[in-house]
Amino acid sequence: MRMVEKNGQILLQGVSCFDLGRTLDCGQCFRWKRCPDGFWEGVCCGTFCRVRQERTVLIFTHTSRGLIRDFWIPYFGLDEDYTTLCRNFCTDPVLCRAVRFAPGIRLLRQDPWETLCSFIISQNNNIPRIRGIIERFCSLLGDPMEKGPPAFPTPERLSSCTIEDLAPLRSGFRARYLLDAAQKVSSGAVNLKTVDTLDSDNARRVLTSICGVGPKVADCVLLYGFHKTEVVPMDVWMKRVLAVLYPDGFPQRLSPWMGIAQQFLFHYARHHAADLRQPSLVRA
DNA sequence: TACCAGGGCCTTT
DNA sequence: AAAGGCCATGGT
């Protein structure tokens, strides 16, 4: 990859195995917005940018070369060798189909705290509504920024709130879960920096000590927020994939990256919903 | 063990 | 247009 500046925009050239739109729209993140001019606008860790893709070129504005190198490239997972990874995935016929169906999905490296809150909100919920709740959450409690949408609210700010304060979010029963997460994280009862150093099983134990974080939410946080690439969050779609397409289990040799594979399988499953509801059709 | 708790989007009717 | 399904966790 190579970075050049042109007309006040920063171009990242030579980007392969990457589809920006799919990566931002596959359910792992909730704050990016597609603008009418083709740019995506997003903020993470207090850093804002606009970015769009033209084949193998990413075009950035409202950011800097330094931030692209140090923050956005790791954020988008562009420092990982997906060519080798996907070649590896393609040794499995099912996964090969899924990767070919929607190539270019990458696992983002998101902020752990934002990921924790986002997936608490995501439980028993659908994506448009999740986005709405998170947007109201950020406008209500996030610090305004020089450019772009407000920052994600800090655990400290959230822990000073009451359930009634969160009523405008219309997050239903999840409000008290958010408060418990904020209280545990801001008090140090749950230390996200430490969780990062733990193996998945121990990290999962810590995360599930938060009220409202069960195995599914914890696994989403481990994969999307802590980059634990072997963790496979089992929602209903992945359960169907397992039952119908992998009755003998996922391939062992792919287990260190099965979380990344999960993104392709999940996407594939959602777009072949009817097939997965009738196992006989798929097996044939 | 089975059910319920907010709510809203989605699919099916 | 209306009805029912869906969803992850904790509490009863």
Side-chain angles (χ1 to χ4, degrees):
Chain A
M1 290 188 301
R2 191 160 75 92
M3 234 190 289
V4 299
E5 277 188 63
K6 206 171 164 184
N7 308 326
Q9 302 180 322
I10 305 170
L11 277 52
L12 190 62
Q13 302 170 322
V15 174
S16 53
C17 293
F18 182 65
D19 187 306
L20 180 66
R22 274 191 199 123
T23 296
L24 296 179
D25 219 19
C26 70
Q28 61 181 321
C29 58
F30 304 100
R31 289 197 78 197
W32 286 87
K33 276 199 180 136
R34 193 198 293 269
C35 302
D37 60 2
F39 275 90
W40 289 83
E41 281 187 1
V43 56
C44 181
C45 301
T47 297
F48 173 77
C49 83
R50 303 187 85 231
V51 57
R52 72 184 172 90
Q53 180 170 26
E54 246 173 52
R55 294 188 190 82
T56 60
V57 181
L58 285 180
I59 301 156
F60 286 90
T61 72
H62 298 74
T63 184
S64 67
R65 297 172 71 110
L67 280 169
I68 291 171
R69 186 189 59 225
D70 298 333
F71 185 79
W72 293 114
I73 286 178
Y75 177 84
F76 287 114
L78 295 170
D79 52 348
E80 303 240 9
D81 182 3
Y82 270 67
T83 308
T84 303
L85 191 59
C86 288
R87 194 180 299 136
N88 201 1
F89 286 164
C90 278
T91 61
D92 175 83
V94 172
L95 202 37
C96 193
R97 242 188 302 160
V99 171
R100 284 204 193 130
F101 176 70
I105 298 173
R106 292 210 184 204
L107 176 62
L108 297 173
R109 276 195 194 77
Q110 302 184 70
D111 173 63
W113 165 248
E114 175 172 342
T115 309
L116 174 60
C117 293
S118 298
F119 282 90
I120 285 174
I121 291 168
S122 82
Q123 67 186 81
N124 195 26
N125 215 339
N126 56 69
I127 289 173
R129 186 168 172 237
I130 295 165
R131 301 183 83 104
I133 293 171
I134 292 175
E135 194 171 331
R136 293 189 289 276
F137 182 47
C138 294
S139 7
L140 186 71
L141 299 170
D143 291 329
M145 306 216 309
E146 276 180 35
K147 47 191 177 185
F152 200 83
T154 64
E156 291 73 26
R157 178 82 174 87
L158 178 56
S159 67
S160 73
C161 292
T162 64
I163 292 275
E164 296 75 53
D165 294 332
L166 299 187
L169 306 187
R170 305 199 303 277
S171 62
F173 56 83
R174 303 165 193 85
R176 68 186 185 92
Y177 301 160
L178 287 174
L179 291 185
D180 191 61
Q183 189 268 320
K184 286 204 166 76
V185 170
S186 65
S187 72
V190 167
N191 185 329
L192 297 180
K193 289 238 163 49
T194 306
V195 169
D196 199 29
T197 67
L198 301 175
D199 63 74
S200 298
D201 287 340
N202 285 309
R204 187 181 295 105
R205 270 184 214 112
V206 175
L207 291 175
T208 51
S209 73
I210 296 166
C211 178
V213 178
K216 162 62 170 54
V217 171
D219 282 0
C220 287
V221 179
L222 290 173
L223 180 64
Y224 302 126
F226 290 100
H227 212 75
K228 305 283 189 196
T229 60
E230 77 280 14
V231 174
V232 181
M234 293 298 286
D235 72 322
V236 289
W237 292 100
M238 285 308 292
K239 283 177 186 165
R240 284 172 192 155
V241 166
L242 187 61
V244 175
L245 301 174
Y246 292 100
D248 302 322
F250 297 126
Q252 284 257 320
R253 66 179 185 286
L254 297 179
S255 52
W257 312 280
M258 207 53 216
I260 295 176
Q262 171 266 161
Q263 297 201 284
F264 293 101
L265 294 169
F266 175 81
H267 190 274
Y268 183 86
R270 298 224 53 163
H271 288 84
H272 294 80
D275 299 338
L276 286 163
R277 290 209 185 86
Q278 296 176 36
S280 55
L281 291 179
V282 176
R283 277 182 189 272

